[in-house]
Short mmCIF file of all heavy atoms in Angstrom, two decimals:
data_model
loop_
_atom_site.label_atom_id
_atom_site.label_comp_id
_atom_site.label_asym_id
_atom_site.label_seq_id
_atom_site.Cartn_x
_atom_site.Cartn_y
_atom_site.Cartn_z
N ALA A 141 43.94 -24.85 1.64
CA ALA A 141 45.14 -24.39 0.85
C ALA A 141 46.50 -24.14 1.69
O ALA A 141 47.56 -24.43 1.20
CB ALA A 141 44.80 -23.14 0.05
N GLN A 145 49.86 -26.12 1.14
CA GLN A 145 51.07 -25.46 0.84
C GLN A 145 52.20 -25.79 1.83
O GLN A 145 53.41 -25.96 1.49
CB GLN A 145 50.81 -23.92 0.88
CG GLN A 145 52.03 -23.09 0.37
CD GLN A 145 51.67 -21.59 0.36
OE1 GLN A 145 50.49 -21.20 0.45
NE2 GLN A 145 52.65 -20.72 0.06
N SER A 149 52.12 -30.28 -1.02
CA SER A 149 51.50 -31.35 -1.84
C SER A 149 50.54 -30.77 -2.81
O SER A 149 49.74 -31.48 -3.43
CB SER A 149 50.66 -32.19 -0.87
OG SER A 149 49.73 -31.38 -0.10
N GLY A 150 50.65 -29.51 -3.24
CA GLY A 150 49.74 -28.88 -4.29
C GLY A 150 48.50 -28.54 -3.69
O GLY A 150 48.25 -28.57 -2.46
N LEU A 151 47.59 -28.26 -4.61
CA LEU A 151 46.24 -27.80 -4.15
C LEU A 151 45.40 -28.97 -3.87
O LEU A 151 45.16 -29.89 -4.69
CB LEU A 151 45.59 -26.99 -5.23
CG LEU A 151 46.28 -25.55 -5.58
CD1 LEU A 151 45.60 -24.92 -6.85
CD2 LEU A 151 46.29 -24.67 -4.26
N PRO A 152 44.60 -28.79 -2.86
CA PRO A 152 43.59 -29.90 -2.47
C PRO A 152 42.49 -29.91 -3.65
O PRO A 152 42.21 -28.82 -4.24
CB PRO A 152 43.02 -29.52 -1.14
CG PRO A 152 43.92 -28.52 -0.55
CD PRO A 152 44.58 -27.94 -1.71
N VAL A 155 39.78 -27.04 -3.32
CA VAL A 155 40.36 -25.70 -3.78
C VAL A 155 40.40 -25.64 -5.28
O VAL A 155 39.97 -24.61 -5.94
CB VAL A 155 41.68 -25.38 -3.19
CG1 VAL A 155 42.26 -24.03 -3.67
CG2 VAL A 155 41.59 -25.47 -1.52
N GLN A 156 40.78 -26.67 -5.96
CA GLN A 156 40.79 -26.61 -7.49
C GLN A 156 39.35 -26.45 -7.92
O GLN A 156 39.24 -25.67 -8.95
CB GLN A 156 41.39 -27.96 -7.91
CG GLN A 156 42.96 -28.11 -7.67
CD GLN A 156 43.52 -29.40 -8.15
OE1 GLN A 156 43.05 -29.77 -9.29
NE2 GLN A 156 44.49 -29.98 -7.52
N LEU A 159 38.17 -22.94 -8.05
CA LEU A 159 38.80 -22.13 -9.04
C LEU A 159 38.77 -22.80 -10.42
O LEU A 159 39.61 -22.90 -11.14
CB LEU A 159 40.36 -21.94 -8.79
CG LEU A 159 40.66 -21.35 -7.33
CD1 LEU A 159 42.13 -21.47 -7.08
CD2 LEU A 159 40.32 -19.85 -7.26
N PHE A 166 45.05 -22.53 -14.89
CA PHE A 166 45.49 -22.18 -13.63
C PHE A 166 46.77 -23.04 -13.23
O PHE A 166 47.64 -22.54 -12.60
CB PHE A 166 44.36 -22.36 -12.70
CG PHE A 166 44.82 -21.90 -11.30
CD1 PHE A 166 44.80 -20.55 -10.97
CD2 PHE A 166 45.10 -22.87 -10.34
CE1 PHE A 166 45.30 -20.29 -9.49
CE2 PHE A 166 45.40 -22.49 -8.93
CZ PHE A 166 45.56 -21.27 -8.64
N LEU A 167 46.59 -24.37 -13.57
CA LEU A 167 47.51 -25.25 -12.97
C LEU A 167 48.83 -25.48 -13.90
O LEU A 167 49.92 -25.61 -13.48
CB LEU A 167 46.94 -26.69 -12.81
CG LEU A 167 45.75 -26.74 -11.72
CD1 LEU A 167 45.11 -28.14 -11.79
CD2 LEU A 167 46.35 -26.38 -10.43
N GLU A 168 48.57 -25.27 -15.22
CA GLU A 168 49.70 -25.50 -16.17
C GLU A 168 50.90 -24.54 -15.92
O GLU A 168 50.56 -23.26 -15.89
CB GLU A 168 49.19 -25.49 -17.57
CG GLU A 168 48.53 -26.71 -18.08
CD GLU A 168 48.09 -26.69 -19.46
OE1 GLU A 168 48.17 -25.66 -20.09
OE2 GLU A 168 47.51 -27.82 -19.81
N GLY A 169 52.10 -24.97 -15.84
CA GLY A 169 53.23 -24.16 -15.74
C GLY A 169 53.48 -23.49 -14.43
O GLY A 169 54.26 -22.49 -14.28
N ALA A 170 52.71 -23.92 -13.35
CA ALA A 170 52.90 -23.36 -12.02
C ALA A 170 53.38 -24.35 -11.08
O ALA A 170 52.91 -25.48 -11.11
CB ALA A 170 51.65 -22.69 -11.53
N ASP A 171 54.37 -24.15 -10.37
CA ASP A 171 54.84 -25.08 -9.39
C ASP A 171 53.93 -25.13 -8.17
O ASP A 171 53.02 -24.25 -7.93
CB ASP A 171 56.33 -24.83 -8.90
CG ASP A 171 56.49 -23.46 -8.34
OD1 ASP A 171 55.48 -22.86 -7.79
OD2 ASP A 171 57.57 -22.90 -8.43
N ARG A 172 54.11 -26.05 -7.31
CA ARG A 172 53.16 -26.21 -6.19
C ARG A 172 53.26 -24.98 -5.23
O ARG A 172 52.09 -24.62 -4.79
CB ARG A 172 53.60 -27.38 -5.38
CG ARG A 172 53.38 -28.76 -6.11
CD ARG A 172 53.81 -29.95 -5.39
NE ARG A 172 53.40 -31.16 -5.99
CZ ARG A 172 53.67 -32.48 -5.67
NH1 ARG A 172 54.31 -32.53 -4.55
NH2 ARG A 172 53.36 -33.51 -6.33
N ILE A 173 54.30 -24.43 -4.92
CA ILE A 173 54.32 -23.22 -4.03
C ILE A 173 53.55 -22.16 -4.71
O ILE A 173 52.74 -21.41 -4.09
CB ILE A 173 55.79 -22.82 -3.71
CG1 ILE A 173 56.46 -23.95 -2.95
CG2 ILE A 173 55.73 -21.60 -2.98
CD1 ILE A 173 57.96 -23.64 -2.57
N ARG A 174 53.88 -21.92 -5.97
CA ARG A 174 53.20 -20.81 -6.75
C ARG A 174 51.65 -21.03 -6.83
O ARG A 174 50.87 -20.13 -6.58
CB ARG A 174 53.66 -20.69 -8.09
CG ARG A 174 53.10 -19.51 -8.96
CD ARG A 174 53.46 -18.34 -8.39
NE ARG A 174 53.08 -17.17 -9.21
CZ ARG A 174 52.92 -15.86 -8.77
NH1 ARG A 174 53.12 -15.63 -7.56
NH2 ARG A 174 52.48 -14.97 -9.55
N GLN A 175 51.27 -22.35 -7.00
CA GLN A 175 49.84 -22.68 -6.94
C GLN A 175 49.20 -22.23 -5.65
O GLN A 175 47.95 -21.67 -5.59
CB GLN A 175 49.62 -24.18 -7.19
CG GLN A 175 49.92 -24.58 -8.54
CD GLN A 175 49.85 -26.20 -8.63
OE1 GLN A 175 49.15 -26.77 -7.87
NE2 GLN A 175 50.54 -26.65 -9.62
N GLY A 176 49.83 -22.58 -4.63
CA GLY A 176 49.33 -22.44 -3.27
C GLY A 176 49.21 -20.85 -2.96
O GLY A 176 48.18 -20.41 -2.40
N GLN A 177 50.23 -20.18 -3.34
CA GLN A 177 50.23 -18.63 -3.19
C GLN A 177 49.05 -17.91 -3.93
O GLN A 177 48.33 -17.19 -3.48
CB GLN A 177 51.57 -18.07 -3.72
CG GLN A 177 52.72 -18.47 -2.77
CD GLN A 177 54.03 -17.92 -3.27
OE1 GLN A 177 54.15 -17.66 -4.48
NE2 GLN A 177 54.98 -17.88 -2.34
N LEU A 178 48.96 -18.41 -5.23
CA LEU A 178 47.85 -17.88 -6.15
C LEU A 178 46.50 -18.36 -5.55
O LEU A 178 45.48 -17.43 -5.43
CB LEU A 178 48.00 -18.34 -7.56
CG LEU A 178 49.16 -17.81 -8.35
CD1 LEU A 178 49.28 -18.52 -9.73
CD2 LEU A 178 48.94 -16.35 -8.52
N ALA A 179 46.40 -19.46 -5.10
CA ALA A 179 45.01 -19.92 -4.71
C ALA A 179 44.75 -19.11 -3.36
O ALA A 179 43.61 -18.61 -3.15
CB ALA A 179 45.11 -21.49 -4.25
N THR A 180 45.68 -19.08 -2.45
CA THR A 180 45.41 -18.20 -1.22
C THR A 180 45.01 -16.94 -1.51
O THR A 180 44.17 -16.35 -0.79
CB THR A 180 46.55 -18.41 -0.29
OG1 THR A 180 46.73 -19.94 -0.05
CG2 THR A 180 46.35 -17.64 1.03
N LYS A 181 45.76 -16.21 -2.31
CA LYS A 181 45.42 -14.87 -2.62
C LYS A 181 44.04 -14.73 -3.30
O LYS A 181 43.31 -13.74 -2.97
CB LYS A 181 46.44 -14.37 -3.67
CG LYS A 181 46.42 -12.78 -4.01
CD LYS A 181 47.46 -12.36 -4.98
CE LYS A 181 47.27 -10.95 -5.36
NZ LYS A 181 48.31 -10.56 -6.32
N GLY A 182 43.62 -15.61 -4.17
CA GLY A 182 42.34 -15.50 -4.87
C GLY A 182 41.29 -15.78 -3.83
O GLY A 182 40.26 -14.97 -3.79
#
Side-chain angles (χ1 to χ4, degrees):
Q145 186 177 356
S149 58
L151 293 175
V155 176
Q156 294 184 35
L159 303 167
F166 178 81
L167 294 173
E168 283 178 359
D171 58 28
R172 290 180 177 178
I173 294 176
R174 183 63 175 161
Q175 288 176 25
Q177 289 173 341
L178 289 173
T180 302
K181 182 178 180 181

